[in-house]
Amino acid sequence: MGMSKSLSCFGYPLSIFFIVVNEFCERFSYYGMRALLVLYFRNFIGWDDDLSTAIYHTFVALCYLTPILGALIADSWLGKFKTIIWLSIVYTIGQGVISISSINDLTDHNHDGTPNNMPVHVSLSMIGLILIALGTGGIKPCVSAFGGDQFEEGQEKQRNRFFSIFYLAINAGSLLSTIITPILRVQQCGIHTQQACYPLAFGVPAALMAVSLIVFVIGSGLYKKFQPQGNIMGKVAKCIGFAIKNRFRHRSKEFSKRQHWLDWAKEKYDERLISQIKMVMRVLFLYIPLPMFWALFDQQGSRWTLQATTMNGNIGTIEIQPDQMQTVNAILIVIMVPIFDAVIYPLIAKCGFNFTSLKKMTVGMFLASMAFVVAAIVQLEIDKTLPVFPEAHQVQVKVLNIGNNNIIVSFPGDTVTLNPMSQTDTYTTFGTDQLPSINVSSPGSAVTAVAHDFEQGHRHTLLVWGPRDYHVVKDGLNNKPDKGENGIRFVNTFNNAVSITMSGKVYEDVTSYNASEYQFFSSGKKNFTVSSTEFPQTCLRDFQSSNLEFGGAYTYVIERQSDGCPGIKQFEDIPPNTVNMALQIPQYFLLTCGEVVFSVTGLEFSYSQAPSNMKSVLQAGWLLTVAVGNIIVLIVAGVGHFNEQWAEYILFAALLLVVCIIFAIMAQFYTYVNPAEIEARFDEEEKKKNSGKSDPYASPESVTQTVM
């Protein structure tokens, strides 16, 4: 048991300090890593949006399935203290492994900037994620309960306050990490080639997890440690199994009915255990609709982040990266939890409305559903501004005249005359069944047919500079540039190769009448230098781009001016994002209010309705609803292939609305219990029974443990 009287500070046990700091570091580590995950899958490993979202939600689901394992290990084998230590070690190793998996020089043998052996990175990152899921999930039900164990009898008020502080520590950790890790990610690092710095961005969370473990161990001498209670989950399962078997055995008419199906276990188990299990079962039944809330809530990290990449991040004078929008949730939580506790709930109580836990949770579900309606409206606004990209069976072509003559281009059903240094306004779309026969000519010249194998599902640019001179370039951009960056490529109209250096990135030897690949730049004005053996010595070689915004793509043509020096002409390939990221704030606000009234209340409700020795069972049950929610996202995203993202948002909103109504009806039939009173009643009966004789075989169940 450690010390008889624990050291205290401001009326709280001193040991609490270590537990709160441990939780802060652990959540920083977890959310910091999670904020990067989708973009890491997409940009480093190279999976598409759907697969990245799927793996992300599989991982989150796994993190919330493992608490059952943690609760079992702690309750029946190691006790909470040792469980937290051992699983934290597993967790730290997992964070280290995923950091190593993102080092591109690990398998980049030819130093070209792309790993040569991607399966190594994929398998390392999967091993890392499995270890992290084991660690974070396993310690989840233990840390908060271990904190609760530190309080003496009669410290209920401090204990409840501790849970509020605990929830704020969680969000402070997640807030700081979701601001800091994206900043680390956009740094450039690497041994042979400079790249987005994933190893550092994953490495900082790994270091904090190690700090978290060390802090927890330092406090070791101060903790109150209880012996494991024995396998309570096993006992519950056996009792339920026996009741069902017994009921099945006596299913004929001559046996009288019993009030509750669990009463069929009376032959073998005592009344107290049966009544405790009844309480737990009634709460677990109420949990059935809850996963739908989490299904919506956890899309902030996947779908909503991808939505932000198609938006403009200039909010006033500050600039926001798409994955930093998630911080809005954490900022709002830190503001809203105290406001709800101190202002909103007391006001509702003043109006005489009995705002019970289950009513709060119903309101939370409704708010989350509305958040998705707002997300769909924002998506519709974005869709109006998005360019149309070719589908798998289509080809898109635009024409860019980089010569000095007027050029006539004829498509099937359309003829365009292009002045020198101009382009067609839009890309023309062709189905592959009617692949374009395109002809090029200039006034008074013969007609040249463009012979080219157009690649399906791609955009192409037809460069023309004379009636017989053309070159087709595959653009290679089939969606808006990632992370709100801008794609820039150069076209060379000189006879010799030209090299360009722009903000530290090099376009090497762009050959005559050809286009480079796109490279990507963040917003702002960029300086660039062009060089070629063909330029006269006296020429200016330094230029500046226009002010780049978010998610655009441009072609810069390097043209020969009358004095033989290079000039620059800019053409827009993909317009920049115009819808502002600030428009996401209302949906985050609604979802956060939903979280405050749903999540914080749900935890409190689970605690208040559980018998003392089954708090961990209900904790694990509550976390299980989060896991199932993430599995729902996988199913809906997998089964319903929506062409329109807004339709998927509306579907989720509608599903949650239906579930919300069902939950409201179920809540009407729930009667609140006070487990302590019921325990006390059993204690009384046992005292009466045992008053005549001292019973050496008194049920060990009668020892009430106050386990938070």
Side-chain angles (χ1 to χ4, degrees), residues 397-411 416-424 438-442 448-451 454 460-473 491-493 513-515 557 571:
V397 182
K398 81 163 178 187
V399 187
L400 175 55
N401 178 1
I402 53 174
N404 305 324
N405 320 333
N406 285 359
I407 303 277
I408 301 161
V409 183
S410 57
F411 293 109
V416 206
T417 304
L418 283 178
N419 298 328
M421 282 298 159
S422 69
Q423 66 171 355
T424 47
I438 305 175
N439 295 321
V440 182
S441 63
S442 62
T448 309
V450 172
F454 288 96
H460 300 75
T461 303
L462 168 62
L463 301 174
V464 288
W465 59 95
R468 282 182 300 284
D469 306 313
Y470 68 87
H471 179 65
V472 177
V473 183
V491 170
N492 174 14
T493 63
Y513 292 106
N514 201 349
V557 177
F571 294 97

Short mmCIF file of all heavy atoms in Angstrom, two decimals, residues 397-411 416-424 438-442 448-451 454 460-473 491-493 513-515 557 571:
data_model
loop_
_atom_site.label_atom_id
_atom_site.label_comp_id
_atom_site.label_asym_id
_atom_site.label_seq_id
_atom_site.Cartn_x
_atom_site.Cartn_y
_atom_site.Cartn_z
N VAL A 397 -7.11 18.08 -72.73
CA VAL A 397 -6.03 18.72 -73.48
C VAL A 397 -6.22 20.23 -73.46
O VAL A 397 -7.35 20.72 -73.60
CB VAL A 397 -6.04 18.24 -74.96
CG1 VAL A 397 -4.87 18.87 -75.72
CG2 VAL A 397 -5.97 16.73 -75.05
N LYS A 398 -5.13 20.97 -73.26
CA LYS A 398 -5.18 22.40 -73.53
C LYS A 398 -4.01 22.74 -74.46
O LYS A 398 -3.04 21.97 -74.55
CB LYS A 398 -5.13 23.22 -72.24
CG LYS A 398 -3.75 23.41 -71.68
CD LYS A 398 -3.72 24.56 -70.67
CE LYS A 398 -2.31 24.68 -70.10
NZ LYS A 398 -2.24 25.63 -69.01
N VAL A 399 -4.11 23.87 -75.15
CA VAL A 399 -3.08 24.23 -76.12
C VAL A 399 -2.39 25.50 -75.66
O VAL A 399 -3.04 26.45 -75.21
CB VAL A 399 -3.70 24.47 -77.52
CG1 VAL A 399 -2.60 24.66 -78.55
CG2 VAL A 399 -4.59 23.31 -77.90
N LEU A 400 -1.05 25.50 -75.75
CA LEU A 400 -0.27 26.67 -75.36
C LEU A 400 0.63 27.03 -76.56
O LEU A 400 1.47 26.22 -76.96
CB LEU A 400 0.57 26.32 -74.12
CG LEU A 400 1.56 27.36 -73.59
CD1 LEU A 400 0.87 28.69 -73.32
CD2 LEU A 400 2.22 26.86 -72.31
N ASN A 401 0.40 28.22 -77.13
CA ASN A 401 1.20 28.67 -78.28
C ASN A 401 2.43 29.41 -77.76
O ASN A 401 2.33 30.49 -77.20
CB ASN A 401 0.34 29.58 -79.16
CG ASN A 401 1.13 30.12 -80.34
OD1 ASN A 401 2.30 29.81 -80.53
ND2 ASN A 401 0.47 30.95 -81.15
N ILE A 402 3.62 28.81 -77.97
CA ILE A 402 4.85 29.43 -77.45
C ILE A 402 5.71 29.96 -78.61
O ILE A 402 6.90 30.23 -78.43
CB ILE A 402 5.65 28.45 -76.58
CG1 ILE A 402 5.92 27.14 -77.32
CG2 ILE A 402 4.92 28.17 -75.28
CD1 ILE A 402 6.83 26.18 -76.58
N GLY A 403 5.09 30.08 -79.82
CA GLY A 403 5.85 30.58 -80.96
C GLY A 403 5.52 32.04 -81.24
O GLY A 403 4.89 32.72 -80.42
N ASN A 404 5.94 32.55 -82.43
CA ASN A 404 5.72 33.96 -82.76
C ASN A 404 4.63 34.14 -83.81
O ASN A 404 4.40 35.24 -84.28
CB ASN A 404 7.02 34.58 -83.28
CG ASN A 404 8.14 34.39 -82.27
OD1 ASN A 404 7.87 34.45 -81.06
ND2 ASN A 404 9.34 34.14 -82.74
N ASN A 405 3.97 33.05 -84.26
CA ASN A 405 2.93 33.16 -85.28
C ASN A 405 1.57 32.86 -84.67
O ASN A 405 1.48 32.20 -83.64
CB ASN A 405 3.16 32.15 -86.42
CG ASN A 405 4.62 32.04 -86.77
OD1 ASN A 405 5.38 32.99 -86.57
ND2 ASN A 405 5.05 30.89 -87.27
N ASN A 406 0.51 33.33 -85.37
CA ASN A 406 -0.82 32.87 -84.99
C ASN A 406 -0.95 31.41 -85.41
O ASN A 406 -0.52 31.03 -86.50
CB ASN A 406 -1.90 33.69 -85.71
CG ASN A 406 -2.02 35.06 -85.08
OD1 ASN A 406 -1.32 35.36 -84.12
ND2 ASN A 406 -2.89 35.89 -85.62
N ILE A 407 -1.55 30.60 -84.53
CA ILE A 407 -1.71 29.18 -84.83
C ILE A 407 -3.20 28.84 -84.79
O ILE A 407 -3.91 29.26 -83.87
CB ILE A 407 -0.96 28.30 -83.80
CG1 ILE A 407 0.52 28.67 -83.76
CG2 ILE A 407 -1.15 26.82 -84.10
CD1 ILE A 407 1.39 28.03 -84.80
N ILE A 408 -3.65 28.08 -85.79
CA ILE A 408 -5.06 27.64 -85.79
C ILE A 408 -5.07 26.18 -85.34
O ILE A 408 -4.36 25.34 -85.91
CB ILE A 408 -5.66 27.75 -87.20
CG1 ILE A 408 -5.59 29.21 -87.68
CG2 ILE A 408 -7.10 27.24 -87.21
CD1 ILE A 408 -5.72 29.35 -89.18
N VAL A 409 -5.84 25.90 -84.28
CA VAL A 409 -5.93 24.53 -83.79
C VAL A 409 -7.36 24.06 -83.96
O VAL A 409 -8.29 24.74 -83.52
CB VAL A 409 -5.54 24.46 -82.30
CG1 VAL A 409 -5.55 23.03 -81.81
CG2 VAL A 409 -4.17 25.08 -82.08
N SER A 410 -7.55 22.92 -84.62
CA SER A 410 -8.93 22.43 -84.73
C SER A 410 -9.09 21.11 -83.99
O SER A 410 -8.37 20.15 -84.23
CB SER A 410 -9.33 22.29 -86.21
OG SER A 410 -8.42 21.44 -86.86
N PHE A 411 -10.04 21.14 -83.03
CA PHE A 411 -10.49 19.95 -82.31
C PHE A 411 -11.73 19.44 -83.03
O PHE A 411 -12.33 20.18 -83.79
CB PHE A 411 -10.91 20.33 -80.89
CG PHE A 411 -9.79 20.79 -80.02
CD1 PHE A 411 -9.68 22.13 -79.65
CD2 PHE A 411 -8.85 19.89 -79.55
CE1 PHE A 411 -8.65 22.56 -78.82
CE2 PHE A 411 -7.83 20.31 -78.72
CZ PHE A 411 -7.72 21.63 -78.36
N VAL A 416 -9.88 26.91 -82.85
CA VAL A 416 -9.43 28.07 -82.07
C VAL A 416 -8.23 28.69 -82.78
O VAL A 416 -7.37 27.98 -83.30
CB VAL A 416 -8.92 27.63 -80.66
CG1 VAL A 416 -9.06 28.77 -79.69
CG2 VAL A 416 -9.62 26.39 -80.16
N THR A 417 -8.18 30.02 -82.78
CA THR A 417 -6.98 30.70 -83.27
C THR A 417 -6.25 31.27 -82.05
O THR A 417 -6.85 32.01 -81.27
CB THR A 417 -7.33 31.83 -84.23
OG1 THR A 417 -8.11 31.28 -85.30
CG2 THR A 417 -6.07 32.47 -84.80
N LEU A 418 -4.97 30.89 -81.91
CA LEU A 418 -4.21 31.36 -80.76
C LEU A 418 -3.15 32.37 -81.20
O LEU A 418 -2.35 32.09 -82.10
CB LEU A 418 -3.51 30.18 -80.07
CG LEU A 418 -4.37 29.27 -79.19
CD1 LEU A 418 -3.52 28.13 -78.65
CD2 LEU A 418 -4.98 30.04 -78.03
N ASN A 419 -3.15 33.55 -80.56
CA ASN A 419 -2.09 34.53 -80.81
C ASN A 419 -0.78 34.00 -80.21
O ASN A 419 -0.80 33.11 -79.37
CB ASN A 419 -2.45 35.86 -80.16
CG ASN A 419 -3.73 36.42 -80.77
OD1 ASN A 419 -3.99 36.20 -81.95
ND2 ASN A 419 -4.51 37.10 -79.96
N PRO A 420 0.34 34.62 -80.59
CA PRO A 420 1.61 34.22 -79.96
C PRO A 420 1.54 34.39 -78.45
O PRO A 420 0.90 35.33 -77.96
CB PRO A 420 2.62 35.21 -80.56
CG PRO A 420 2.01 35.66 -81.84
CD PRO A 420 0.53 35.62 -81.64
N MET A 421 2.17 33.47 -77.74
CA MET A 421 2.22 33.49 -76.26
C MET A 421 0.81 33.58 -75.65
O MET A 421 0.51 34.49 -74.89
CB MET A 421 3.07 34.68 -75.76
CG MET A 421 4.55 34.42 -75.87
SD MET A 421 5.07 33.03 -74.86
CE MET A 421 6.61 32.62 -75.69
N SER A 422 -0.03 32.65 -76.02
CA SER A 422 -1.36 32.60 -75.38
C SER A 422 -1.79 31.15 -75.30
O SER A 422 -1.21 30.28 -75.95
CB SER A 422 -2.37 33.43 -76.16
OG SER A 422 -2.63 32.80 -77.39
N GLN A 423 -2.82 30.90 -74.49
CA GLN A 423 -3.27 29.52 -74.34
C GLN A 423 -4.79 29.45 -74.41
O GLN A 423 -5.47 30.46 -74.25
CB GLN A 423 -2.78 28.93 -73.02
CG GLN A 423 -3.40 29.59 -71.78
CD GLN A 423 -3.07 28.85 -70.48
OE1 GLN A 423 -2.46 27.80 -70.50
NE2 GLN A 423 -3.49 29.41 -69.35
N THR A 424 -5.33 28.24 -74.63
CA THR A 424 -6.80 28.08 -74.59
C THR A 424 -7.23 28.27 -73.14
O THR A 424 -6.51 27.90 -72.21
CB THR A 424 -7.21 26.68 -75.06
OG1 THR A 424 -6.38 25.71 -74.41
CG2 THR A 424 -7.05 26.51 -76.56
N ILE A 438 -6.52 16.06 -83.50
CA ILE A 438 -6.25 17.49 -83.40
C ILE A 438 -5.37 17.89 -84.57
O ILE A 438 -4.40 17.19 -84.89
CB ILE A 438 -5.52 17.82 -82.07
CG1 ILE A 438 -6.34 17.30 -80.89
CG2 ILE A 438 -5.29 19.31 -81.93
CD1 ILE A 438 -5.66 17.46 -79.57
N ASN A 439 -5.73 19.00 -85.24
CA ASN A 439 -4.91 19.49 -86.35
C ASN A 439 -4.37 20.86 -86.04
O ASN A 439 -5.05 21.69 -85.44
CB ASN A 439 -5.73 19.56 -87.64
CG ASN A 439 -6.16 18.16 -88.06
OD1 ASN A 439 -5.38 17.22 -87.95
ND2 ASN A 439 -7.40 18.03 -88.53
N VAL A 440 -3.12 21.10 -86.48
CA VAL A 440 -2.47 22.39 -86.25
C VAL A 440 -2.13 22.99 -87.60
O VAL A 440 -1.65 22.29 -88.50
CB VAL A 440 -1.17 22.19 -85.45
CG1 VAL A 440 -0.52 23.53 -85.18
CG2 VAL A 440 -1.45 21.47 -84.15
N SER A 441 -2.37 24.29 -87.77
CA SER A 441 -1.93 24.96 -89.00
C SER A 441 -1.78 26.43 -88.69
O SER A 441 -2.17 26.88 -87.60
CB SER A 441 -2.96 24.76 -90.11
OG SER A 441 -4.18 25.36 -89.73
N SER A 442 -1.21 27.20 -89.65
CA SER A 442 -1.26 28.64 -89.49
C SER A 442 -1.76 29.18 -90.82
O SER A 442 -1.76 28.46 -91.82
CB SER A 442 0.11 29.20 -89.12
OG SER A 442 1.02 28.93 -90.14
N THR A 448 -1.18 20.09 -90.11
CA THR A 448 -0.43 18.98 -89.51
C THR A 448 -1.33 18.30 -88.49
O THR A 448 -1.91 18.96 -87.63
CB THR A 448 0.82 19.52 -88.78
OG1 THR A 448 1.53 20.36 -89.68
CG2 THR A 448 1.72 18.38 -88.32
N ALA A 449 -1.44 16.97 -88.59
CA ALA A 449 -2.24 16.23 -87.59
C ALA A 449 -1.33 15.90 -86.41
O ALA A 449 -0.18 15.53 -86.59
CB ALA A 449 -2.79 14.95 -88.19
N VAL A 450 -1.88 16.05 -85.21
CA VAL A 450 -1.10 15.75 -84.01
C VAL A 450 -1.16 14.25 -83.76
O VAL A 450 -2.24 13.70 -83.51
CB VAL A 450 -1.66 16.52 -82.80
CG1 VAL A 450 -0.98 16.05 -81.51
CG2 VAL A 450 -1.47 18.01 -83.00
N ALA A 451 -0.03 13.59 -83.83
CA ALA A 451 0.01 12.14 -83.56
C ALA A 451 0.56 11.95 -82.16
O ALA A 451 1.72 12.27 -81.90
CB ALA A 451 0.90 11.45 -84.59
N PHE A 454 -2.38 9.65 -76.15
CA PHE A 454 -2.78 10.34 -74.92
C PHE A 454 -3.03 9.32 -73.82
O PHE A 454 -3.67 8.30 -74.05
CB PHE A 454 -4.04 11.17 -75.17
CG PHE A 454 -3.78 12.39 -76.01
CD1 PHE A 454 -4.01 12.36 -77.38
CD2 PHE A 454 -3.29 13.55 -75.44
CE1 PHE A 454 -3.76 13.47 -78.16
CE2 PHE A 454 -3.04 14.67 -76.21
CZ PHE A 454 -3.28 14.63 -77.59
N HIS A 460 -3.22 16.91 -70.46
CA HIS A 460 -2.06 17.10 -71.32
C HIS A 460 -2.01 18.54 -71.80
O HIS A 460 -3.05 19.18 -71.95
CB HIS A 460 -2.12 16.18 -72.54
CG HIS A 460 -2.17 14.72 -72.18
ND1 HIS A 460 -3.31 14.13 -71.70
CD2 HIS A 460 -1.22 13.76 -72.23
CE1 HIS A 460 -3.07 12.85 -71.45
NE2 HIS A 460 -1.80 12.59 -71.77
N THR A 461 -0.81 19.03 -72.05
CA THR A 461 -0.65 20.35 -72.65
C THR A 461 0.00 20.16 -74.02
O THR A 461 1.03 19.47 -74.12
CB THR A 461 0.24 21.24 -71.77
OG1 THR A 461 -0.35 21.32 -70.47
CG2 THR A 461 0.33 22.65 -72.36
N LEU A 462 -0.64 20.73 -75.04
CA LEU A 462 -0.07 20.67 -76.39
C LEU A 462 0.70 21.97 -76.62
O LEU A 462 0.11 23.04 -76.68
CB LEU A 462 -1.22 20.51 -77.41
CG LEU A 462 -0.88 20.70 -78.89
CD1 LEU A 462 0.13 19.68 -79.37
CD2 LEU A 462 -2.15 20.62 -79.73
N LEU A 463 2.03 21.85 -76.67
CA LEU A 463 2.85 23.03 -76.94
C LEU A 463 2.99 23.16 -78.46
O LEU A 463 3.39 22.19 -79.12
CB LEU A 463 4.25 22.85 -76.33
CG LEU A 463 4.33 22.63 -74.81
CD1 LEU A 463 5.76 22.32 -74.39
CD2 LEU A 463 3.83 23.86 -74.06
N VAL A 464 2.64 24.32 -79.02
CA VAL A 464 2.84 24.53 -80.47
C VAL A 464 3.68 25.80 -80.67
O VAL A 464 3.57 26.75 -79.91
CB VAL A 464 1.48 24.69 -81.22
CG1 VAL A 464 0.75 23.38 -81.29
CG2 VAL A 464 0.61 25.74 -80.57
N TRP A 465 4.55 25.77 -81.67
CA TRP A 465 5.32 26.99 -81.95
C TRP A 465 5.50 27.20 -83.45
O TRP A 465 6.21 28.06 -83.89
CB TRP A 465 6.66 26.97 -81.22
CG TRP A 465 7.57 25.82 -81.57
CD1 TRP A 465 8.56 25.82 -82.49
CD2 TRP A 465 7.57 24.52 -80.98
NE1 TRP A 465 9.18 24.59 -82.53
CE2 TRP A 465 8.60 23.77 -81.60
CE3 TRP A 465 6.81 23.89 -79.98
CZ2 TRP A 465 8.88 22.44 -81.27
CZ3 TRP A 465 7.09 22.58 -79.67
CH2 TRP A 465 8.11 21.86 -80.30
N GLY A 466 4.81 26.40 -84.25
CA GLY A 466 4.84 26.59 -85.71
C GLY A 466 3.81 25.67 -86.31
O GLY A 466 3.28 24.79 -85.63
N PRO A 467 3.47 25.87 -87.60
CA PRO A 467 2.41 25.06 -88.21
C PRO A 467 2.75 23.57 -88.21
O PRO A 467 1.86 22.73 -88.27
CB PRO A 467 2.32 25.60 -89.64
CG PRO A 467 3.51 26.47 -89.83
CD PRO A 467 4.01 26.89 -88.49
N ARG A 468 4.05 23.23 -88.17
CA ARG A 468 4.40 21.81 -88.14
C ARG A 468 5.11 21.41 -86.85
O ARG A 468 5.55 20.28 -86.70
CB ARG A 468 5.30 21.48 -89.34
CG ARG A 468 4.54 21.35 -90.65
CD ARG A 468 5.45 20.98 -91.78
NE ARG A 468 6.51 21.98 -92.00
CZ ARG A 468 6.28 23.16 -92.59
NH1 ARG A 468 5.07 23.48 -93.01
NH2 ARG A 468 7.27 24.02 -92.76
N ASP A 469 5.21 22.36 -85.93
CA ASP A 469 6.02 22.09 -84.72
C ASP A 469 5.12 21.99 -83.49
O ASP A 469 4.48 22.96 -83.12
CB ASP A 469 7.03 23.23 -84.49
CG ASP A 469 7.87 23.45 -85.73
OD1 ASP A 469 8.36 22.44 -86.27
OD2 ASP A 469 8.01 24.61 -86.15
N TYR A 470 5.12 20.81 -82.90
CA TYR A 470 4.32 20.67 -81.67
C TYR A 470 4.98 19.62 -80.77
O TYR A 470 5.82 18.84 -81.20
CB TYR A 470 2.88 20.25 -82.00
CG TYR A 470 2.77 18.85 -82.55
CD1 TYR A 470 2.65 17.76 -81.69
CD2 TYR A 470 2.80 18.61 -83.93
CE1 TYR A 470 2.56 16.46 -82.18
CE2 TYR A 470 2.73 17.33 -84.43
CZ TYR A 470 2.61 16.25 -83.54
OH TYR A 470 2.54 14.97 -84.03
N HIS A 471 4.57 19.64 -79.50
CA HIS A 471 5.07 18.65 -78.54
C HIS A 471 3.99 18.48 -77.47
O HIS A 471 3.48 19.47 -76.95
CB HIS A 471 6.37 19.16 -77.91
CG HIS A 471 6.95 18.21 -76.88
ND1 HIS A 471 7.40 16.96 -77.21
CD2 HIS A 471 7.13 18.34 -75.54
CE1 HIS A 471 7.83 16.35 -76.10
NE2 HIS A 471 7.68 17.17 -75.08
N VAL A 472 3.62 17.23 -77.18
CA VAL A 472 2.57 17.01 -76.17
C VAL A 472 3.22 16.64 -74.84
O VAL A 472 4.09 15.77 -74.78
CB VAL A 472 1.60 15.89 -76.60
CG1 VAL A 472 0.57 15.64 -75.51
CG2 VAL A 472 0.91 16.27 -77.90
N VAL A 473 2.81 17.33 -73.76
CA VAL A 473 3.36 17.07 -72.42
C VAL A 473 2.24 16.55 -71.53
O VAL A 473 1.15 17.12 -71.51
CB VAL A 473 3.91 18.37 -71.80
CG1 VAL A 473 4.53 18.10 -70.45
CG2 VAL A 473 4.91 19.02 -72.74
N VAL A 491 8.58 26.19 -69.16
CA VAL A 491 8.67 25.79 -70.57
C VAL A 491 9.81 26.61 -71.20
O VAL A 491 9.87 27.83 -71.03
CB VAL A 491 7.35 26.06 -71.30
CG1 VAL A 491 7.52 25.87 -72.81
CG2 VAL A 491 6.25 25.14 -70.77
N ASN A 492 10.69 25.92 -71.91
CA ASN A 492 11.87 26.56 -72.50
C ASN A 492 11.66 26.79 -74.00
O ASN A 492 11.40 25.85 -74.74
CB ASN A 492 13.07 25.65 -72.25
CG ASN A 492 14.32 26.15 -72.94
OD1 ASN A 492 14.38 27.30 -73.40
ND2 ASN A 492 15.33 25.30 -73.02
N THR A 493 11.76 28.06 -74.47
CA THR A 493 11.62 28.32 -75.91
C THR A 493 12.98 28.63 -76.57
O THR A 493 13.02 29.04 -77.72
CB THR A 493 10.67 29.51 -76.16
OG1 THR A 493 11.25 30.68 -75.58
CG2 THR A 493 9.31 29.28 -75.53
N TYR A 513 12.03 23.69 -76.33
CA TYR A 513 10.59 23.49 -76.61
C TYR A 513 10.02 22.32 -75.82
O TYR A 513 9.34 21.46 -76.35
CB TYR A 513 10.35 23.32 -78.12
CG TYR A 513 10.63 24.60 -78.86
CD1 TYR A 513 11.77 24.74 -79.64
CD2 TYR A 513 9.77 25.68 -78.72
CE1 TYR A 513 12.06 25.94 -80.29
CE2 TYR A 513 10.04 26.89 -79.36
CZ TYR A 513 11.19 27.01 -80.14
OH TYR A 513 11.44 28.19 -80.76
N ASN A 514 10.32 22.31 -74.52
CA ASN A 514 9.82 21.24 -73.67
C ASN A 514 9.43 21.84 -72.32
O ASN A 514 9.81 22.95 -72.00
CB ASN A 514 10.91 20.17 -73.47
CG ASN A 514 10.30 18.84 -73.05
OD1 ASN A 514 9.11 18.77 -72.72
ND2 ASN A 514 11.10 17.79 -73.07
N ALA A 515 8.64 21.07 -71.55
CA ALA A 515 8.20 21.54 -70.22
C ALA A 515 8.84 20.67 -69.15
O ALA A 515 9.02 19.47 -69.33
CB ALA A 515 6.68 21.46 -70.11
N VAL A 557 6.61 30.39 -68.99
CA VAL A 557 7.30 30.22 -70.27
C VAL A 557 8.51 31.15 -70.30
O VAL A 557 8.39 32.35 -70.03
CB VAL A 557 6.36 30.53 -71.45
CG1 VAL A 557 7.11 30.41 -72.78
CG2 VAL A 557 5.16 29.59 -71.44
N PHE A 571 1.34 31.52 -67.06
CA PHE A 571 0.01 31.01 -67.43
C PHE A 571 -0.55 30.20 -66.27
O PHE A 571 0.18 29.46 -65.61
CB PHE A 571 0.11 30.11 -68.67
CG PHE A 571 0.53 30.85 -69.90
CD1 PHE A 571 1.86 30.86 -70.31
CD2 PHE A 571 -0.40 31.56 -70.65
CE1 PHE A 571 2.25 31.55 -71.45
CE2 PHE A 571 -0.02 32.26 -71.79
CZ PHE A 571 1.31 32.27 -72.19
#
